[in-house]
Amino acid sequence: MTEKDFLPQPYPATIDQGEVTWESPSNIALVKYWGKLKNQIPANPSISFTLDSCRTTTKLAYKKKEEVTDSFDFELYFEGEKKDAFRPKIQKFMERVEQYLPFLKDYEFTIETSNSFPHSSGIASSASGMSALALCLMSLEKQLNPEMEEEYFTRKSSFLARLGSGSACRSIEGELVVWGFQRNIYGSSDLYGVEFRDEVHDNFRNYRDTILLVDKGEKQVSSTVGHDLMNGHPFAERRFQQAHENLDRLKKIFRSGDLSEFIQVVESEALTLHAMMMTSQPYFLLMKPNTLEIINRIFKFREESGLHLCFTLDAGANVHLLFPEKEEKATLEFIERELKQFCQNGQYIYDKVGSGAKKLA
Ligand code: PMV
């Protein structure tokens, strides 16, 4: 599919008002997206586990304007309170997607949104938030065009979510989603995320992700700035090539179920992401002393226990702990006993791989 496929034909139906609610999850990348071209096209392909309990719920109410105006009209509520601070982001999103959703200026919208994870936990809500909003708008488009096929609905939701926040395009489906063209992954595209449909060994079923909240403060460097710093970065080209190689390796690992190899790829990806940040101009450092303390304790635990706990990082100090379902008991005991002390207020979030966004009745 190309961008043009997402430009709609005139709509057969008219809709005056209504509302729709979607719940959309966050995701955690195994091969990281870091660096982009124009229009949120990724510089390299990435793959993520879709999460289960870290979710955003968004209700979109829409009412046709009596007179059409040349502006986007929307009100925004976050966890029950009016939130004007989010307006610029939504305004920008609407501008970017308008050509694909030409009805946006015909309606007054009320957007009510809330997160399942604690407010300002340092967990990025842009993936779950933008995907939930994209899905709500697609539900309205589907009412205007009732013949729309499910596959088109899913692809276009991911396509629109990507224009809101790149990694959001990986939050529509589960359990593993690839975004970015990769010659060995059938159907992969720079325009939207697709479910990874190859064979996946049972070792990766119900994989766990416990998120240690090391630092809940605002990020010092936004991901937009971070992506931009990959332009002209001395190691960029080699890094983009490495992401392709790591995705190839993961494809084989998912088939074989080799957990030791999995750990090597995933941890190396996390550290490479942060190495890119530390070697850009200007350079920046998002890991905290407790992030390193946790990583070192994971290395030691793995050596002593022979278990397969590993870590990955987002663009922040929090640590995602990935481990197989069958090692859950011993791993959770270790987290409680040794890692919890390095979390702000002892807080961590218990999550696992999930199956994607859901429309609520
Ligand atoms: O979606 P963005 O622009 O916030 O970028 C997210 C980038 C990482 O979370 C660091 C990696 C990824 O692939 O999710």
Side-chain angles (χ1 to χ4, degrees):
M1 285 177 118
T2 69
E3 266 129 340
K4 284 206 181 77
D5 294 312
F6 297 112
L7 294 167
Q9 301 294 317
Y11 296 119
T14 53
I15 296 293
D16 288 334
Q17 58 181 334
E19 60 176 53
V20 61
T21 305
W22 277 89
E23 205 180 61
S24 194
S26 184
N27 68 71
I28 179 69
L30 305 172
V31 172
K32 307 289 181 182
Y33 149 60
W34 198 243
K36 63 178 167 187
L37 316 173
K38 227 177 122 217
N39 292 333
Q40 314 264 87
I41 296 298
N44 64 258
S46 56
I47 187 166
S48 50
F49 275 139
T50 303
L51 296 185
D52 188 49
S53 18
C54 286
R55 291 176 163 263
T56 295
T57 305
T58 297
K59 179 163 108 182
L60 178 77
Y62 40 91
K63 188 166 182 286
K64 200 134 190 199
K65 292 181 194 168
E66 294 185 351
E67 273 171 52
V68 174
T69 60
D70 193 30
S71 58
F72 300 113
D73 290 311
F74 60 92
E75 292 214 328
L76 208 58
Y77 295 85
F78 179 66
E79 318 220 305
E81 281 177 30
K82 206 150 182 207
K83 190 83 177 178
D84 287 335
F86 291 171
R87 285 190 74 85
K89 207 167 178 183
I90 304 295
Q91 172 76 24
K92 197 162 166 207
F93 172 65
M94 293 209 171
E95 285 163 16
R96 278 193 190 155
V97 300
E98 188 189 8
Q99 56 172 319
Y100 303 104
L101 300 172
F103 55 82
L104 286 180
K105 285 182 178 157
D106 301 346
Y107 290 90
E108 283 161 10
F109 295 104
T110 306
I111 305 166
E112 288 174 57
T113 181
S114 61
N115 292 337
S116 65
F117 41 90
H119 184 48
S120 70
S121 55
I123 297 187
S125 59
S126 60
S128 52
M130 280 299 169
S131 54
L133 181 57
L135 285 157
C136 288
L137 292 168
M138 280 308 293
S139 285
L140 172 52
E141 183 171 65
K142 184 158 167 61
Q143 288 196 56
L144 296 166
N145 175 19
E147 305 280 277
M148 186 189 295
E149 293 193 0
E150 203 166 315
E151 164 139 351
Y152 181 85
F153 181 97
T154 306
R155 293 282 167 272
K156 187 164 172 179
S157 300
S158 175
F159 172 85
L160 297 174
R162 182 197 102 236
L163 292 170
S165 167
S167 59
C169 78
R170 296 188 313 236
S171 276
I172 308 288
E173 296 174 281
E175 301 179 343
L176 279 161
V177 176
V178 178
W179 167 41
F181 176 73
Q182 219 275 5
R183 70 190 186 293
N184 295 327
I185 298 188
Y186 181 77
S188 60
S189 167
D190 285 345
L191 299 180
Y192 44 77
V194 292
E195 218 181 299
F196 178 77
R197 290 255 169 91
D198 263 50
E199 202 181 313
V200 178
H201 193 281
D202 277 349
N203 280 352
F204 298 104
R205 295 275 161 227
N206 289 319
Y207 224 70
R208 302 312 206 215
D209 180 9
T210 294
I211 309 161
L212 303 182
L213 305 177
V214 172
D215 184 64
K216 305 196 281 176
E218 284 284 309
K219 275 195 255 175
Q220 315 144 354
V221 180
S222 73
S223 59
T224 312
V225 172
H227 288 293
D228 281 350
L229 290 174
M230 287 302 278
N231 290 319
H233 190 294
F235 307 132
E237 283 319 309
R238 185 62 190 92
R239 157 61 197 155
F240 300 146
Q241 191 189 330
Q242 179 198 46
H244 282 268
E245 292 157 11
N246 280 343
L247 197 45
D248 272 338
R249 283 176 73 188
L250 270 188
K251 194 177 143 163
K252 292 194 190 98
I253 291 166
F254 285 133
R255 189 169 295 178
S256 69
D258 189 329
L259 291 172
S260 303
E261 276 272 313
F262 176 77
I263 292 170
Q264 278 181 35
V265 174
V266 169
E267 291 188 344
S268 158
E269 273 289 321
L271 295 177
T272 301
L273 169 72
H274 283 255
M276 290 298 114
M277 300 171 183
M278 290 189 247
T279 49
S280 61
Q281 289 295 343
Y283 47 81
F284 58 105
L285 185 53
L286 298 183
M287 288 191 271
K288 298 280 180 198
N290 282 354
T291 312
L292 295 180
E293 192 59 57
I294 289 165
I295 291 175
N296 281 317
R297 298 237 178 180
I298 292 171
F299 291 159
K300 189 155 170 274
F301 172 71
R302 216 158 53 213
E303 207 174 290
E304 287 169 0
S305 68
L307 296 178
H308 299 92
L309 167 64
C310 76
F311 70 87
T312 188
L313 307 165
D314 261 342
N318 294 338
V319 184
H320 287 249
L321 302 176
L322 301 176
F323 52 97
E325 184 183 20
K326 63 176 181 228
E327 296 180 6
E328 177 168 45
K329 192 168 174 289
T331 309
L332 287 182
E333 278 167 15
F334 165 67
I335 295 171
E336 266 293 312
R337 190 176 66 240
E338 277 200 47
L339 302 185
K340 188 181 170 175
Q341 58 179 315
F342 301 113
C343 302
Q344 262 190 14
N345 309 322
Q347 265 188 302
Y348 61 85
I349 297 175
Y350 184 68
D351 208 344
K352 62 175 190 218
V353 169
S355 57
K358 290 183 187 73
K359 189 175 168 184
L360 302 186

